[in-house]
Amino acid sequence: MTVALKKPHKSARKPKGDGHLRRGEILAAAERIFIAEGYAGATIRKIADAVGVSSTALYMHFRDKDQILLEISDDAIGQLLAVNVDIAHRPIDAVSRVKLMLEAYMRFALDNPNTYQLVFCGSRDVISKEKQAATADLGDRCFEEFSGPIHEIAASGRLRTGSGESAAQVLWAACHGLVALMITMPDRDWAPREELMQVTLDGLLHGLVTD
Amino acid sequence: MTVALKKPHKSARKPKGDGHLRRGEILAAAERIFIAEGYAGATIRKIADAVGVSSTALYMHFRDKDQILLEISDDAIGQLLAVNVDIAHRPIDAVSRVKLMLEAYMRFALDNPNTYQLVFCGSRDVISKEKQAATADLGDRCFEEFSGPIHEIAASGRLRTGSGESAAQVLWAACHGLVALMITMPDRDWAPREELMQVTLDGLLHGLVTD
DNA sequence: CGACTGTGTGATTCCCGTTTAGTGTCGGGT
DNA sequence: ACCCGACACTAAACGGGAATCACACAGTCG
């Protein structure tokens, strides 16, 4: 849409200058506001004001509001994916890899609550359908990276119950539930974070995997 | 519009008559729309249209939109609480009670996805602060009803790891995570519901409680 | 008969995301 | 040198959300 890739001739008007700078400025401002005030607080007009342009200008660089915030989320989820890939390559046993990945996952969620909510708690009410394309894909790849070791464990017959797939989904869901609740109900008196995380991981792995 | 059927010439003027009927009508219409279209879809205007009244009229009977939907949710959560109380009184061992309660909890969530999201996934973005008063309290009492048996188990020293409180929170969170993900990402290819629920419950209870 | 009160309305306010139409500027192509 | 079109941008407006205001009706009480 915005970038002219199709000028076959030389020296086509380069998409440099203001255009690219603006895009970065917008993303930076949007990220700042989104982190501080969440999805509803990150208004098009507020972002535009922060950049110092009119709200209409944002539509020069992004299709709509969701695209801006999802692009920010892509960055963040990309980092999580990188961590997962790194862990996946370490020469340690599968159970340890699972544990490290899920720990990283939960810490990511607690460190980036708004991003986490946008990507993993977004009802289709707020994010509507297929806009998530890229972000959802990154999320999928995170899950796959993490379900790899689980299937290893399943293949070696060490799963006490259920299929490898269901075990992977359950482990993911349990960790999701913990951080999601802690994020959306921060005023509850939770047991210490570390304890909750360890009880979840140890409990489930102990219950699902035979030694 | 005009409901002229009651005319008791007795008893000083009280807020009965039209008032009470309207209130019920509004709640019924709101519930229908909310269940069908979720929080964002249940608009003040839409509800008012369904009742056949101007949008302003809703503010005669309810403080704001959230109060309407939370009142609906109260009903639903109240039913869940009743089930929990019933289970709590059955003459069966604590672990079975825990299991039955969590199963009922998950089935409730999957049967009432919009209500569940409103109460248990509502970021303060959308529901803002202390409006939840009554509903949150019902949720608390559900949790307490359910954490009772857990503390019984903890008191008898059968907890493999963590405190009774953290075990209760972790069990709750795990079940929450499962249903929350299934609700917000219905298009994923999940393992069969029953299997996921059983793997979650059996896995965690096996891992946390010694026989 | 007023006056008062509960119930309801239409117009209005203030946000929101998004669209439309128009302005200025700049880089070539001729 | 000239004009043309692409680009970055803007002001104004649209439609829709929640919520409020000023006002119009019943009835009922004194």
Side-chain angles (χ1 to χ4, degrees):
Chain A
M1 312 115 194
T2 52
V3 186
L5 294 169
K6 34 172 43 177
K7 278 301 191 151
H9 276 286
K10 53 182 157 195
S11 78
R13 244 151 106 63
K14 300 234 310 254
K16 62 154 67 141
D18 286 9
H20 273 185
L21 293 182
R22 272 280 175 275
R23 200 167 205 280
E25 286 178 53
I26 293 170
L27 281 174
E31 180 170 26
R32 218 181 334 110
I33 298 176
F34 175 59
I35 289 174
E37 310 188 37
Y39 182 85
T43 295
I44 289 277
R45 286 168 163 87
K46 244 190 254 178
I47 298 169
D49 280 1
V51 180
V53 296
S54 79
S55 60
T56 317
L58 302 208
Y59 292 91
M60 297 285 98
H61 306 278
F62 303 91
R63 198 175 354 99
D64 54 24
K65 172 182 170 175
D66 288 344
Q67 202 203 330
I68 300 178
L69 298 185
L70 286 175
E71 199 148 318
I72 292 171
S73 302
D74 278 359
D75 270 17
I77 305 287
Q79 293 170 21
L80 176 62
L81 178 58
V83 171
N84 268 14
V85 169
D86 174 62
I87 295 172
H89 287 28
R90 290 190 202 163
I92 53 180
D93 67 301
V95 174
S96 299
R97 268 178 285 156
V98 168
K99 214 173 189 172
L100 284 175
M101 285 186 193
L102 289 175
E103 252 182 60
Y105 179 85
M106 291 192 279
R107 284 190 215 289
F108 170 82
L110 295 172
D111 288 345
N112 309 275
N114 284 322
T115 296
Y116 187 80
Q117 277 195 109
L118 180 64
V119 177
F120 293 105
C121 306
S123 60
R124 44 249 164 287
D125 270 2
V126 52
I127 204 61
S128 88
K129 300 288 175 189
E130 328 295 7
K131 290 187 182 168
Q132 303 184 322
T135 305
D137 189 58
L138 282 175
D140 282 2
R141 283 166 60 194
C142 280
F143 177 75
E144 279 158 25
E145 212 59 53
F146 144 77
S147 69
I150 306 266
H151 282 112
E152 277 181 48
I153 297 171
S156 63
R158 294 168 57 206
L159 228 47
R160 181 169 289 156
T161 170
S163 66
E165 192 60 22
S166 64
Q169 290 176 358
V170 161
L171 275 163
W172 173 36
C175 293
H176 164 74
L178 186 61
V179 293
L181 280 183
M182 290 171 73
I183 288 172
T184 58
M185 304 182 177
D187 293 338
R188 230 170 210 289
D189 51 329
W190 297 101
R193 285 188 177 187
E194 296 301 319
E195 180 179 349
L196 288 172
M197 288 171 47
Q198 291 315 312
V199 170
T200 300
L201 289 178
D202 291 344
L204 259 181
L205 289 175
H206 211 101
L208 292 180
V209 181
T210 65
D211 305 294
Chain B
M1 329 232 141
T2 56
V3 189
L5 52 142
K6 292 222 65 167
K7 268 283 280 323
H9 49 291
K10 223 177 149 61
S11 71
R13 43 196 202 65
K14 302 225 314 252
K16 35 173 71 144
D18 285 10
H20 276 183
L21 294 181
R22 273 280 175 280
R23 200 167 205 279
E25 286 178 53
I26 293 170
L27 281 175
E31 179 169 28
R32 218 179 336 107
I33 297 177
F34 175 59
I35 288 174
E37 311 188 37
Y39 182 85
T43 295
I44 290 277
R45 285 162 158 85
K46 246 190 253 177
I47 298 170
D49 280 1
V51 179
V53 93
S54 83
S55 60
T56 316
L58 301 208
Y59 292 92
M60 294 286 98
H61 306 278
F62 303 92
R63 199 173 354 101
D64 55 21
K65 171 182 170 176
D66 287 344
Q67 202 203 329
I68 300 179
L69 298 185
L70 286 176
E71 199 148 317
I72 292 171
S73 302
D74 279 359
D75 270 19
I77 305 286
Q79 293 170 22
L80 176 62
L81 178 59
V83 171
N84 269 13
V85 169
D86 174 62
I87 294 172
H89 287 28
R90 290 191 200 162
I92 53 181
D93 67 300
V95 174
S96 299
R97 270 178 283 153
V98 168
K99 215 172 187 172
L100 285 175
M101 285 187 193
L102 290 174
E103 253 182 60
Y105 180 86
M106 291 191 279
R107 283 190 215 289
F108 170 83
L110 296 172
D111 288 345
N112 309 277
N114 285 322
T115 296
Y116 187 80
Q117 278 195 107
L118 180 65
V119 177
F120 293 106
C121 306
S123 59
R124 44 250 164 286
D125 270 2
V126 54
I127 205 61
S128 87
K129 302 282 177 190
E130 329 293 7
K131 291 188 183 167
Q132 304 184 322
T135 305
D137 189 57
L138 282 175
D140 282 1
R141 283 166 60 194
C142 280
F143 178 76
E144 279 158 25
E145 213 59 52
F146 144 77
S147 69
I150 305 267
H151 282 113
E152 276 181 47
I153 297 171
S156 63
R158 294 166 58 206
L159 228 48
R160 180 168 290 153
T161 170
S163 66
E165 193 58 24
S166 63
Q169 290 176 359
V170 162
L171 275 163
W172 173 35
C175 293
H176 164 74
L178 186 61
V179 294
L181 280 182
M182 289 171 75
I183 288 172
T184 58
M185 304 182 177
D187 294 337
R188 229 167 212 290
D189 50 331
W190 297 100
R193 285 188 178 187
E194 296 301 319
E195 181 179 348
L196 288 172
M197 287 170 49
Q198 291 314 314
V199 170
T200 299
L201 288 178
D202 291 345
L204 259 181
L205 289 175
H206 211 100
L208 291 180
V209 181
T210 65
D211 304 296

